[in-house]
Amino acid sequence: MRKVLLILNGIVAKEFLTTLTLKHLDKNAYIFVSLDSSLLPKNLPQDSEAYNFDPSASSKLREILTPQITDCYVILEDIKEREAVYHTLRGYNKMLQITMLGEIPLAQSDKQLLMINEAYLLSSRLFEKFPNIPKTAKNIGLGEGEIMQVSVPFGSPYAYRSVGVIKQKKWKIVAIYRNNGLILPKYSTTILPNDALLLVGDPDTLWDIYHRIKEEFGQFPTPFGRDVVLYFDLLHSKDLENYLYQTTWLFGHFKNKRLEVCFLNPTNITTIKKIENHPLLNAENISWRIEYHETSLKALIEKDKSNKNIGLILLEEYCFSRYRGYLLDLGIPLLKFGAQPLDSLTHGAVILPKDTEEAEKISSVVFDFSEQIGLKILLYDFDPNEENHEQALDYYKHIAKVFNKKIEIDSTATQNPIFWLNTQEKMIQILPLRKAGIKHNPFFSMRDVENLSAYLIKIPQLFVPISV
């Protein structure tokens, strides 16, 4: 649930609050602030607060600010009061999304501030009534909800995802509005927090997508797909019981997903009978199959891609190593099992990469996956003097505060991250997967952490696509 701060005064604020109270007051947690006590709701929803004081008083306003506040709406008639409130809010949190009715002078641009010009809104509404003028989206189409605009919150499973990795069946992302500009998305376009997505598709499907976008945790492997698939080679892979247990244990922590186990290269009747009667394979939302004719993992995945909505592939070391190049070019999240069993893990670790934007792009998966299976988050910074690393750390700290998650930071300029990973226990590494970014030759770049990490076998690893 998002926490929203509303700073109110005047007739517009009163009308806005009336609409909010009638339609949407149960959707978030709110903090109401107004000098006019009549503007404060009488019956507050759960987890909401109301304060009667002058919001332009910086000292009083700062007392109620918390890191959990993600959005602030400022509806004040006096421009000096708006300025005072803005500087207090921005002084407290540079990342806070502020929506303000009216405008104020700014010394520098602020991408996290949306100022709504009242005169422009009224004139635009009047202009729509002129003859032979194109209508806005609300008056186009069937009018049944097949066109929808949805804002992307921090922590959404859609934040920092490339449009191309999002499965879009019966719906499409046709435009992105960002910083008061229009973007016509390509496959490689990255969705950012606070973007507004223009969606077109089946109305029922769009409502489902709306809830997925707004859901902050518990959605992975969405938006990559819905199905979790384990591929297991019965001829070459060992320890079937162990991997079945780990797979079903992991799947038990995911919400509303489907698991399929695909066995290839069956070796004997005894193994087949064991699979047919295995208790772990008879649970709800779990299916399995044995491939008797197709022996290539690559051919199987290509066939499954056409009729499944694959969001996560599970593999043990043999299959991963043999098909590494193909798998890392798929653009589908991969979880490679390690010597450490999943149910013993305590931490999800992210090594800050050279391109620190990649650390931000996988952040939604880091928090979502860690939350679902109960892991602490550990950031390993092997170059603490790098300015971009500091920005990435600040970003993770901000997200952690918003969602009441704790993160641990291990900073060192002396220990190689690969050596560090090899010494860790009870840890899964979560790392960005650039398409064609990890080379087949481990000696291609001895300084490329992502390249070398793919050859580790001790700890489990979750590879998260960031582009296609």
Side-chain angles (χ1 to χ4, degrees), residues 235-410:
L235 178 60
H236 300 97
S237 302
K238 308 299 181 185
D239 206 1
L240 172 61
E241 286 293 329
N242 174 39
Y243 292 118
L244 279 182
Y245 173 77
Q246 290 194 63
T247 297
T248 54
W249 180 89
L250 175 66
F251 180 70
H253 288 75
F254 290 157
K255 297 193 302 184
N256 304 318
K257 306 297 185 287
R258 297 176 297 227
L259 169 66
E260 177 168 290
V261 182
C262 177
F263 301 98
L264 61 155
N265 297 322
T267 53
N268 53 63
I269 296 297
T270 302
T271 301
I272 294 173
K273 290 293 184 183
K274 182 178 181 180
I275 291 172
E276 289 177 345
N277 298 306
H278 204 291
L280 292 178
L281 297 176
N282 294 318
E284 186 179 359
N285 292 331
I286 298 178
S287 60
W288 60 271
R289 75 182 196 271
I290 300 175
E291 285 286 344
Y292 291 97
H293 304 291
E294 187 57 69
T295 61
S296 167
L297 176 62
K298 179 179 178 180
L300 284 176
I301 294 178
E302 287 299 316
K303 182 173 68 173
D304 286 348
K305 281 170 58 181
S306 64
N307 55 37
K308 296 184 189 302
N309 188 15
I310 302 178
L312 177 64
I313 292 175
L314 309 179
L315 296 161
E316 50 73 52
E317 176 62 28
Y318 170 80
C319 287
F320 181 86
S321 298
R322 183 174 180 184
Y323 295 94
R324 180 184 287 110
Y326 165 74
L327 292 167
L328 297 178
D329 278 349
L330 269 176
I332 297 176
L334 303 169
L335 191 150
K336 181 185 72 171
F337 294 107
Q340 296 286 332
L342 297 181
D343 62 344
S344 70
L345 303 180
T346 59
H347 288 77
V350 177
I351 295 179
L352 295 184
K354 290 182 293 184
D355 183 352
T356 52
E357 283 189 7
E358 294 179 357
E360 294 183 4
K361 289 180 179 180
I362 68 170
S363 61
S364 60
V365 173
V366 172
F367 281 90
D368 195 323
F369 181 81
S370 301
E371 176 76 9
Q372 288 194 71
I373 65 173
L375 300 179
K376 299 177 182 178
I377 297 173
L378 173 61
L379 303 180
Y380 185 79
D381 182 7
F382 62 94
D383 192 359
N385 296 321
E386 174 64 41
E387 181 180 354
N388 289 340
H389 280 203
E390 187 64 31
Q391 294 175 0
L393 290 173
D394 287 343
Y395 177 80
Y396 270 78
K397 291 175 183 177
H398 171 69
I399 299 298
K401 287 180 180 178
V402 169
F403 297 110
N404 284 321
K405 291 284 292 182
K406 292 184 178 180
I407 59 173
E408 301 174 11
I409 300 173
D410 191 341

Side-chain angles (χ1 to χ4, degrees), residues 58-106:
S58 175
S59 58
K60 290 187 177 181
L61 184 56
R62 286 187 63 88
E63 288 180 1
I64 67 168
L65 297 179
T66 68
Q68 286 70 45
I69 298 174
T70 58
D71 304 82
C72 178
Y73 289 80
V74 181
I75 306 177
L76 297 173
E77 295 178 336
D78 188 276
I79 186 173
K80 292 184 178 180
E81 291 182 358
R82 291 199 296 266
E83 281 191 75
V85 168
Y86 168 79
H87 289 299
T88 301
L89 295 174
R90 191 54 78 226
Y92 178 79
N93 188 340
K94 294 180 180 179
M95 300 293 293
L96 180 64
Q97 180 67 30
I98 303 173
T99 301
M100 180 181 294
L101 183 63
E103 298 180 326
I104 59 172
L106 293 176

Side-chain angles (χ1 to χ4, degrees), residues 1-8 16-17 20 25 28-34 39-41 44-53 55 60-75 89 92 96:
M1 179 176 287
R2 297 170 70 82
K3 179 163 283 191
V4 181
L5 172 63
L6 297 104
I7 299 177
L8 309 170
F16 176 80
L17 186 59
L20 181 67
L25 203 54
N28 302 290
Y30 298 92
I31 301 177
F32 299 90
V33 179
S34 180
L39 286 177
L40 300 176
L44 287 174
Q46 187 177 5
D47 300 323
S48 294
E49 308 163 50
Y51 296 93
N52 181 206
F53 63 79
K60 290 187 177 181
L61 184 56
R62 286 187 63 88
E63 288 180 1
I64 67 168
L65 297 179
T66 68
Q68 286 70 45
I69 298 174
T70 58
D71 304 82
C72 178
Y73 289 80
V74 181
I75 306 177
L89 295 174
Y92 178 79
L96 180 64

